[in-house]
Amino acid sequence: MVFSTIIFLFRFLPITLALYYLAPAKLKNTVLFVCSLVFYCWGEVRFFPVMLALILINYLCGLGLEAFDAKLLVALAASLGMLFYFKYANFVLRSINSLLGTGFAAIQGISVLPLGISFYTFQTLSYTIDVYRREVKTEHNIIDFGAYVVMFPQLIAGPIVKYRDVSAQLHVYKHRYSLQQIEEGMTLFTFGLAKKVLLADA
């Protein structure tokens, strides 16, 4: 779902904003999480389990780092291993076949990369590394952690947002925004949309 399309501007975005503003303070992150998952599934429902797996792996690794002083290697191996599998597994097989004359068949189903996998892989890893370094506190609420990972404005195109930069805002449940901030956000969005449609797309 591209930000400049009719379905985003006049359906998804108004519905998401309405649900967000009407939701009780404690449920706002839940609304963000669920709506962001809908946003992702709209364009790439086939790889939805991959995203959920990365969220769960890094969430559990964060808890493990806090409780047992577990090794960071588990999270690194799981996250980067998944990224490597989708991006480079067939390339490695083709290279082996060319060099050694073998006949390994290409892995079916990974010719197309999961949407945004590089962004949310490195985003979840930045959280786990920060927990390992004791630079942020472990997130105990998986909904809040999921909202951080899949926030739809930056999910598929970046930028990669470090958990330390948004953790405080994620845990502000009341008075999270003001009318002035809403006006500033609308202004930024309008100018950004104009630049994309009138300049970048053209």
Side-chain angles (χ1 to χ4, degrees):
M1 193 185 304
V2 180
F3 296 148
S4 56
T5 58
I6 297 297
I7 193 166
F8 176 83
L9 291 172
F10 296 106
R11 294 185 184 177
F12 177 82
L13 186 59
I15 292 171
T16 299
L17 291 175
L19 292 173
Y20 180 79
Y21 291 127
L22 292 173
K26 285 286 186 178
L27 293 180
K28 290 193 183 298
N29 285 346
T30 303
V31 170
L32 287 176
F33 181 52
V34 172
C35 290
S36 295
L37 291 179
V38 171
F39 177 87
Y40 183 81
C41 289
W42 191 273
E44 195 65 279
V45 69
R46 182 162 60 107
F47 293 114
F48 176 63
V50 175
M51 173 190 284
L52 287 186
L54 280 173
I55 291 173
L56 188 59
I57 287 168
N58 285 274
Y59 172 75
L60 293 175
C61 284
L63 295 178
L65 288 167
E66 178 188 50
F68 309 112
D69 197 25
K71 299 299 182 183
L72 182 64
L73 186 61
V74 176
L76 291 174
S79 297
L80 294 178
M82 198 173 294
L83 181 63
F84 176 86
Y85 173 75
F86 282 102
K87 292 194 79 167
Y88 301 113
N90 281 334
F91 170 76
V92 170
L93 289 175
R94 287 194 299 269
S95 299
I96 291 174
N97 288 339
S98 297
L99 291 172
L100 304 179
T102 52
F104 293 115
I107 301 171
Q108 300 299 315
I110 61 170
S111 56
V112 177
L113 283 176
L115 192 64
I117 188 171
S118 296
F119 291 110
Y120 60 76
T121 295
F122 288 111
Q123 185 148 307
T124 53
L125 275 179
S126 74
Y127 159 78
T128 309
I129 291 170
D130 282 348
V131 171
Y132 175 75
R133 292 174 173 172
R134 301 294 187 262
E135 293 181 359
V136 298
K137 293 182 179 179
T138 302
E139 178 56 70
H140 290 263
N141 188 320
I142 194 169
I143 297 296
D144 291 350
F145 180 69
Y148 154 69
V149 175
V150 300
M151 195 81 68
F152 72 88
Q154 47 80 46
L155 174 61
I156 60 174
I160 295 170
V161 178
K162 292 183 178 180
Y163 180 75
R164 72 180 83 162
D165 295 333
V166 296
S167 60
Q169 292 93 320
L170 280 172
H171 297 99
V172 173
Y173 297 110
K174 293 183 178 181
H175 310 297
R176 180 178 279 190
Y177 47 82
S178 64
L179 181 59
Q180 181 182 355
Q181 290 172 319
I182 294 173
E183 291 174 351
E184 290 174 355
M186 291 174 64
T187 301
L188 286 172
F189 181 83
T190 303
F191 277 103
L193 180 63
K195 289 177 181 178
K196 174 171 174 53
V197 174
L198 300 177
L199 299 177
D201 287 354

